[in-house]
Amino acid sequence: QTKWDLASAYPANNFHSENLVQFASDVEKATAGKLKITVHSNASLFKATEIKRAVQGGQTQAGEVIQASMQNEWQIYGADGLPFLADSYEESLKLQAAQRPLIEKKLSDQGLVYLYAVAWPPQGLFTKKPISSAADLKSIKWRAYSPATARIADLVKAQPVTVQAAELSQALATGVVEATMTSGATGVDGKLYEHLKYYYDLQAWLPKNMVIVNRKAFDALDKATQDAVLKAAAAAEVRGLAASKRVDTESKAKLKANGMQVLEASSQLKADMKKVGETMLGEWLEKAGAEGQSLLSAYKR
Ligand code: PCA
């Protein structure tokens, strides 16, 4: 029997984590127990930002990471973290199809195997006070989870602080941060309604979590087991997308039920954030160069 650890950064009852557990159980069943994968959720094994390196170094055989957090390493990872480039499930899938071959190749060069990716629900803005334009965000202590979410803060003159999801409630409770852009799903996971009052459903982008494996660990499996892993991964990708859509609706209802005002953003706030998105796409293209341009063309095709 082979045993793998799989490090993830989100709580056990988050839909990504539940999907990982189902994936692990599918693999165990399909291989008659030959490969047992243990999911360690909520950043209990490694912090969100340490997981990729840990998988690369073989400290854990597998892990789940949010692609957008790795934008500084390689711009293509960050494409799905840019505001309003792909801001619906349909566009997110198109972008995913365009990113996939590039990411597979990059990961392979890095000694990793790409298993599957699943989008978070669309990202909106959680705040303490009502916000009617980007100007209202000035000087606010803004929680970021990626270079792009920190850059948004810069552009609206807020103060970015990077905090992983597992530590978000605490950061809100202690006043380290007072606003964040994330999904309703993470809003529910972290009980953000205990500290924040407003959720503006901007639907600005759908960042993806990807599940990766150390290549040596993967290569050490026999062919039948490898095939079982890939098959379970393909099923997890489909199941995860459906769960994401379901959770998008359910979590907004849960936020409301817990007293949060779930609102559409004002046209001014929308226009301001779109402008932020345009600036960031320009900056991204400059950094991503020809590779970024060809990803964009593939996406737009
Ligand atoms: N939740 C994660 C990433 C995107 C999301 O919706 C977080 O806030 O860290």
Side-chain angles (χ1 to χ4, degrees):
Q1 191 191 34
T2 303
K3 290 186 176 177
W4 281 2
D5 289 309
L6 192 156
S8 104
Y10 305 98
N13 61 348
N14 173 274
F15 73 97
H16 288 292
S17 313
E18 287 175 348
N19 198 31
L20 283 171
V21 169
Q22 182 67 52
F23 162 73
S25 141
D26 289 352
V27 168
E28 195 172 342
K29 226 176 279 163
T31 62
K34 256 176 126 178
L35 176 58
K36 182 169 168 47
I37 303 173
T38 304
V39 177
H40 303 267
S41 52
N42 213 28
S44 57
L45 210 52
F46 295 98
K47 283 186 168 195
T49 49
E50 295 170 346
I51 292 176
K52 178 164 179 262
R53 219 170 316 145
V55 179
Q56 254 177 303
Q59 288 101 304
T60 177
Q61 290 78 23
E64 181 188 55
V65 287
I66 181 161
Q67 294 175 184
S69 70
M70 306 180 307
Q71 184 180 342
N72 286 343
E73 179 190 325
W74 185 51
Q75 291 297 320
I76 303 299
Y77 285 135
D80 53 54
L82 298 172
F84 303 109
L85 175 62
D87 56 8
S88 65
Y89 278 102
E90 201 188 330
E91 290 184 351
S92 155
L93 277 176
K94 275 194 201 158
L95 181 58
Q96 182 167 357
Q99 281 171 299
R100 184 185 303 264
L102 300 178
I103 291 184
E104 265 172 0
K105 162 103 183 29
K106 172 63 97 187
L107 289 173
S108 168
D109 293 345
Q110 296 184 327
L112 295 163
V113 178
Y114 173 92
L115 290 187
Y116 70 87
V118 170
W120 284 92
Q123 309 284 293
L125 173 65
F126 286 93
T127 59
K128 259 199 164 90
K129 297 193 183 124
I131 302 292
S132 54
S133 73
D136 294 337
L137 294 165
K138 194 169 172 217
S139 303
I140 275 181
K141 287 180 258 172
W142 174 283
R143 175 263 177 169
Y145 65 75
S146 63
T149 48
R151 182 63 184 143
I152 297 172
D154 288 339
L155 290 169
V156 301
K157 302 192 172 61
Q159 302 177 43
V161 188
T162 298
V163 177
Q164 63 169 348
E167 283 157 5
L168 179 52
S169 315
Q170 202 195 340
L172 285 163
T174 54
V176 171
V177 297
E178 52 190 349
T180 186
M181 281 192 80
T182 184
S183 59
T186 290
V188 170
D189 288 348
K191 298 196 168 86
L192 299 202
Y193 41 78
E194 288 182 350
H195 309 284
L196 305 174
K197 277 263 158 327
Y198 299 89
Y199 183 56
Y200 295 97
D201 191 15
L202 278 159
Q203 308 192 13
W205 70 95
L206 293 83
K208 289 185 291 288
N209 280 1
M210 66 179 184
V211 179
I212 54 176
V213 178
N214 179 285
R215 175 162 291 285
K216 281 196 196 120
F218 187 82
D219 288 348
L221 304 173
D222 61 44
K223 177 78 170 63
T225 306
Q226 289 180 348
D227 288 346
V229 169
L230 297 177
K231 194 171 164 218
E237 185 163 288
V238 174
R239 191 175 54 233
L241 175 65
S244 178
K245 290 179 177 173
R246 198 168 55 238
V247 164
D248 181 33
T249 309
E250 285 172 4
S251 55
K252 282 185 267 190
K254 285 183 192 164
L255 293 176
K256 277 187 202 159
N258 283 285
M260 188 165 255
Q261 300 225 36
V262 176
L263 305 165
E264 202 190 322
S266 70
S267 45
Q268 185 62 55
L269 180 57
K270 276 188 213 163
D272 290 346
M273 297 313 273
K274 289 243 156 98
K275 204 164 152 236
V276 164
E278 277 159 32
T279 302
M280 287 175 61
L281 181 59
E283 292 173 347
W284 180 85
L285 266 171
E286 213 159 275
K287 286 191 191 142
E291 202 171 25
Q293 196 58 63
S294 78
L295 171 65
L296 267 198
S297 331
Y299 164 55
K300 298 246 156 89
R301 215 179 287 134

